[in-house]
Amino acid sequence: MFKINENYLKLPGSYLFSRIAGKVNAFQKENPEKSIIRLGIGDVTQPLAPAIISSLHAAVDEMADAKTFRGYAPDLGYEFLRNAIAKNDYAGRGCEIAADEIFVSDGAKCDSGNIQEIFSTDNKIAVCDPVYPVYVDTNVMAGRTGTYDPSAETWSDVIYMPCTDANDFAPELPGETPDIIYLCFPNNPTGSAITKAQLQEWVDYANKVGAVIIYDAAYEAYISEADVPHSIYECAGARTCAIELRSFSKNAGFTGVRLGFTVVPKDLKCGDISLHALWARRHGTKYNGAPYMIQRAGEAVYSPEGKEQLKKQVAYYMNNANVIYEGLKSAGYSVSGGVNAPYIWLKTPGSMTSWEFFDFLLERAGVVGTPGSGFGPSGEGYFRLTAFGSYENTVAAIKRIKTL
């Protein structure tokens, strides 16, 4: 009889967003007459920019011609896209990242879940708390997290770095030395950001203790403050200690198109072993590449037209963030985020738990958000709202909440 990977059986309950969907669907079924405004999941609502659509059409036309038809993509991704990424996202910011250090994929979520495969299972991981659940869950699947404590909602072998209002939702260097450090800035779920000087401290620390930083920069397009870094490679020494994840989902609306990339510098080594070589082997063995049409669409993101159109799209969502932030603040809520990220992080009123507040908003206002406890123990007592809805729905949702 075949056997199941027991690590999967350790996962508690259902995935956060699956649980939310189940509760919302059940409520909608029982109350079909009530309208629901969804500000829970960070899925975009604006259509793809015209420059991207045009590129997609042109690429599809190429696929209809035997002379320009494309099959499997190169392992790392097409050079035209990797060169555009290297030039615009890195060289343009003074970062030394070569095109062959960029691995194109179908999204940062997949890469964040897969990158841990190249590390030994006895590595100690450290995560910000609250944390994007994928970081922890994929390490559970790998057998790297120890035992689960349901009362504390923590794993015995995970180093949790609390991010609360006391430290401006930025982690402090851990007392216990980790091997792998997950950082996400601008942050999901809190919407917080850190300065270049603060990030440099983490780079220096990782190099000192021999740790690897897995840096999720999925929301860098939303940065508005000058001293907030867009890439960890803006920091000196990052090439020897950091892997960076990037996504086209939030900066270009590719949630339904799927495209991302991971940067693994050739200077990043474990002794004489190159992590770049290991990831290249994994990438080539388990992945056949994002479609040609999608990679051409990604290239259009960096065109002059694409940049201008996407700047307006980001501004649209950040205007929504301001509507949420100012609306909740005027209603007496304690709020943060919404400046460098499209997420608003608010304290639940009174003594409500985050799931109690979820039920309260759903039942009384028909508004869906995300309970903070679903992101880790330090998320209890907090709640996340996303700015990715339409402007009309965002305004309507805040109006409903303010009348409670």
Side-chain angles (χ1 to χ4, degrees), residues 324-362:
I324 298 171
Y325 183 96
E326 294 297 338
L328 293 176
K329 189 175 180 180
S330 68
Y333 287 89
S334 176
V335 293
S336 60
V339 176
N340 296 293
Y343 294 116
I344 306 299
W345 192 242
L346 63 139
K347 285 187 177 180
T348 57
S351 59
M352 279 190 184
T353 68
S354 55
W355 277 106
E356 287 172 344
F357 188 60
F358 173 90
D359 292 334
F360 176 75
L361 279 189
L362 177 61

Side-chain angles (χ1 to χ4, degrees), residues 119-203:
F119 298 101
S120 170
T121 56
D122 59 0
N123 278 305
K124 193 86 169 183
I125 71 165
V127 298
C128 295
D129 173 27
V131 59
Y132 179 47
V134 171
Y135 306 154
V136 175
D137 285 4
T138 54
N139 277 280
V140 173
M141 295 171 181
R144 198 178 283 119
T145 52
T147 57
Y148 183 68
D149 180 352
S151 61
E153 297 186 354
T154 58
W155 294 89
S156 61
D157 291 345
V158 175
I159 300 170
Y160 291 89
M161 303 181 292
C163 300
T164 66
D165 54 358
N167 59 8
D168 293 325
F169 303 102
E172 298 170 0
L173 298 178
E176 184 180 357
T177 303
D179 300 299
I180 303 170
I181 304 166
Y182 284 83
L183 295 178
C184 173
F185 290 104
N187 186 259
N188 177 18
T190 67
S192 63
I194 58 175
T195 65
K196 182 179 178 179
Q198 288 175 299
L199 185 55
Q200 185 67 60
E201 289 184 13
W202 281 98
V203 170

Side-chain angles (χ1 to χ4, degrees), residues 241-402:
C241 71
I243 293 170
E244 184 164 283
L245 311 175
R246 289 287 191 103
S247 170
F248 286 80
S249 289
K250 305 303 175 11
N251 71 329
F254 278 39
T255 54
V257 179
R258 309 308 304 145
L259 189 67
F261 63 89
T262 290
V263 177
V264 185
K266 294 177 183 177
D267 296 343
L268 182 55
K269 297 181 179 181
C270 178
D272 294 329
I273 300 172
S274 165
L275 270 65
H276 180 276
L278 293 182
W279 184 242
R281 179 60 187 271
R282 193 270 175 203
H283 204 70
T285 301
K286 294 190 175 184
Y287 187 63
N288 270 334
Y292 172 73
M293 295 86 75
I294 305 304
Q295 293 197 45
R296 278 298 185 192
E299 180 189 32
V301 168
Y302 300 103
S303 68
E305 298 82 7
K307 288 180 179 179
E308 188 62 30
Q309 292 163 10
L310 292 176
K311 186 184 298 183
K312 293 178 181 178
Q313 197 168 90
V314 166
Y316 178 93
Y317 292 129
M318 291 309 290
N319 182 58
N320 286 350
N322 185 64
V323 168
I324 298 171
Y325 183 96
E326 294 297 338
L328 293 176
K329 189 175 180 180
S330 68
Y333 287 89
S334 176
V335 293
S336 60
V339 176
N340 296 293
Y343 294 116
I344 306 299
W345 192 242
L346 63 139
K347 285 187 177 180
T348 57
S351 59
M352 279 190 184
T353 68
S354 55
W355 277 106
E356 287 172 344
F357 188 60
F358 173 90
D359 292 334
F360 176 75
L361 279 189
L362 177 61
E363 295 167 6
R364 296 281 298 276
V367 174
V368 178
T370 309
S373 63
F375 297 105
S378 291
E380 182 56 87
Y382 289 92
F383 202 77
R384 190 193 78 173
L385 290 175
T386 169
F388 285 120
S390 69
Y391 173 75
E392 294 76 16
N393 279 347
T394 300
V395 171
I398 298 306
K399 184 176 180 179
R400 291 183 187 184
I401 293 173
K402 291 175 74 171

